[in-house]
Amino acid sequence: MRLEKYRKDFPILKIKINGKRLVYLDSAATSQKPKQVIEAITDYYQNYNANIHRSIHSLGEEATKAYEEARETVAKFINAEKPEEVIFVRNTTEALNVAAFGLRKIVSTGKILLSEMEHHSNLIPWQQLAKINNAKLDFVGFDQDGYLKIEELKQKARNAKVIAITQASNVLGTINPIKEIAEIASDAIIVVDGAQSVPHMPVDVQELDIDILAFSAHKMLGPTGIGVLYAREELLKKMEPFIFGSEMIKEVSFNNASWNDLPYKFEAGTPHIAGAVGFKAAIDYLQKIGMKNIRRHDQEITDYALKKLSKLVNIIGPKKAKDRSGLIAFTMNDVHPHDIAAILNEDGIAIRSGHHCAMPLHTKIGINASARASFYLYNTKQEIDLLVKSLEKVKRVFEK
Ligand SMILES: *Cc1c(COP(=O)(O)O)cnc(C)c1O
């Protein structure tokens, strides 16, 4: 990968923090944006800003075209059969809420199977659905190395109506075998949290044979405030909308309304048009590099970091880079993760510390919090060396 060339596209990577050049290792929380994305958004606001779908005038037509092109780009990116299967929402969290609420009649009082490594966004919507419906929640565990227990999943999947699972854990880093899970549970509705996978590897919904996929633009070089709910057309037709109002209706009387066709049934109100434009630019950028190349780069950086860090910290999750996405959560004996992050910040290094929206996971492995370094296409091995140097400093400070 021509890293230096790509790095130049990200204006923020030039800034200094505490007098040091920024080392941004928090892409699992949100990614940085290349100038191509920033410029696409500015271009929209400067040259063709208008509301979509209801105007006859030229700007309205141009904005509508750009918005629908973004949908087509997303559909192709994940290999959805049709653009109508792509619903624009705010983020992964909203997508999973729309999915859970939308499935409430279909799930009824059945069983919802989750894993113990879910982000709160793929846990709480199902908890709420279970409470409303008297449905049953069940969980598949993970082993000491952070791998999903597949045999346990085979047992528990038998009578599950829904299996909602992350493709890549934002704490363990584990990449789960989604295709195998979809094969095991061919009768269940398979909902995949793709927040950490879609930005980092090729994801093909037809090849994986899944029913629902959720992800956010902001973790894949795009703007905040826009994300995707993908679902199979026949499922979307059966699902209930979650937000009501304009754009999502067909006919309205004072006492009743009928729903619009897909995808508009799920897109009430004026959407994030500029966001969609920026999102398209982000996907174009990723595709120009190639998702396989991005995955390979992530793996190389992760492999390098695993080797360097394993002497220094307690790494959480699988030992092999090939089984992980590009992030490493860790702890240091006797040093609170917040202190680690604060000391690294003095050196201009941005990492995350806390429970990373996965409290039950942390409880399960017997800790309250962890530190997490996460990588993307703009990170270099030199930056990992700086991370290591800074962590050595943390050790020295706390060993005094
Ligand atoms: C970030 C993340 C989410 C939530 O994404 P939002 O964009 O904040 O809604 C959900 N699941 C995983 C695995 C994540 O990493």
Side-chain angles (χ1 to χ4, degrees), residues 17 32 114 131 149 159 185 188 190 215 297 302 315 331 360 386:
I17 303 284
Q32 294 304 346
L114 311 173
K131 281 182 190 168
K149 291 183 171 166
N159 54 350
I190 309 287
F215 54 101
H297 174 74
T302 306
I315 290 170
T331 57
L386 291 171

Side-chain angles (χ1 to χ4, degrees), residues 5 33 64 89 93 100 103 137 192 262 271 285 314 354 388 396:
K5 183 178 147 243
K33 324 299 173 197
T64 303
V89 292
T93 306
L103 290 172
L137 278 188
V192 175
L262 293 173
Y285 189 90
N314 316 311
V388 169
R396 281 200 303 277

Side-chain angles (χ1 to χ4, degrees), residues 28-74:
T30 198
S31 68
Q32 294 304 346
K33 324 299 173 197
K35 63 177 192 291
Q36 287 82 346
V37 168
I38 300 165
E39 282 163 8
I41 294 168
T42 307
D43 180 45
Y44 163 72
Y45 279 127
Q46 282 187 348
N47 296 312
Y48 58 100
N49 171 58
N51 211 333
I52 57 168
H53 295 314
R54 27 194 154 195
S55 14
I56 307 283
H57 59 73
S58 298
L59 286 186
E61 272 184 18
E62 200 177 337
T64 303
K65 189 164 158 273
Y67 185 74
E68 291 307 327
E69 271 173 15
R71 194 193 308 281
E72 282 164 32
T73 301
V74 172

Side-chain angles (χ1 to χ4, degrees), residues 197-363:
S197 59
V198 176
H200 293 274
M201 62 188 81
V203 173
D204 177 329
V205 292
Q206 294 190 63
E207 204 247 333
L208 292 174
D209 201 20
I210 58 177
D211 300 290
I212 292 177
L213 176 69
F215 54 101
S216 301
H218 72 91
K219 291 187 180 176
M220 46 194 290
L221 312 184
T224 52
I226 188 158
V228 168
L229 168 69
Y230 156 84
R232 285 186 206 274
E233 185 182 30
E234 70 267 22
L235 195 55
L236 280 175
K237 281 186 176 157
K238 284 187 231 156
M239 282 163 62
E240 301 282 323
F242 180 51
I243 299 170
F244 304 96
S246 72
E247 202 66 57
M248 57 79 66
I249 49 82
K250 189 158 264 162
E251 305 248 6
V252 184
S253 67
F254 280 118
N255 290 306
N256 245 316
S258 60
W259 308 150
N260 203 341
D261 297 330
L262 293 173
Y264 310 112
K265 172 177 139 186
F266 292 97
E267 291 183 3
T270 302
H272 191 3
I273 306 164
V277 167
F279 195 4
K280 179 184 183 300
I283 294 176
D284 288 345
Y285 189 90
L286 290 171
Q287 283 187 313
K288 209 173 66 197
I289 302 174
M291 293 311 291
K292 278 190 184 153
N293 292 331
I294 290 169
R295 171 72 188 135
R296 194 177 310 130
H297 174 74
D298 273 359
Q299 233 172 301
E300 252 178 59
I301 290 280
T302 306
D303 188 50
Y304 185 77
L306 282 172
K307 282 184 183 129
K308 294 253 166 173
L309 291 177
S310 60
K311 297 167 202 138
L312 210 56
V313 300
N314 316 311
I315 290 170
I316 299 165
K319 306 266 184 300
K320 292 181 195 143
K322 74 167 178 50
D323 299 332
R324 311 179 61 115
S325 70
L327 63 91
I328 300 176
F330 58 90
T331 57
M332 284 174 103
N333 302 340
D334 308 324
V335 193
H336 195 280
H338 290 331
D339 292 330
I340 303 176
I343 295 175
L344 265 55
N345 186 57
E346 288 171 12
D347 291 339
I349 302 174
I351 65 157
R352 181 146 293 237
S353 59
H355 54 65
H356 318 298
C357 301
M359 265 194 215
L361 186 159
H362 279 82
T363 307

Side-chain angles (χ1 to χ4, degrees), residues 91-101 103 112-130 136-140 148 153 162-170 176 178 181 189-197 210-216 219 228-230 356-361:
N91 47 41
T92 305
T93 306
E94 186 171 299
L96 291 165
N97 274 276
V98 172
F101 186 88
L103 290 172
I112 303 162
L113 184 61
L114 311 173
S115 87
E116 286 182 340
M117 61 172 89
E118 296 313 311
H119 187 283
H120 295 163
S121 297
N122 198 28
L123 168 62
I124 302 167
W126 306 108
Q127 275 179 3
Q128 290 303 311
L129 177 63
K136 193 170 169 284
L137 278 188
D138 203 355
F139 295 88
V140 180
L148 193 74
L153 184 133
V162 171
I163 299 182
I165 190 156
T166 190
Q167 187 167 17
S169 161
N170 65 314
N176 288 319
I178 297 298
I181 293 167
I189 295 168
I190 309 287
V191 181
V192 175
D193 175 348
Q196 294 296 345
S197 59
I210 58 177
D211 300 290
I212 292 177
L213 176 69
F215 54 101
S216 301
K219 291 187 180 176
V228 168
L229 168 69
Y230 156 84
H356 318 298
C357 301
M359 265 194 215
L361 186 159

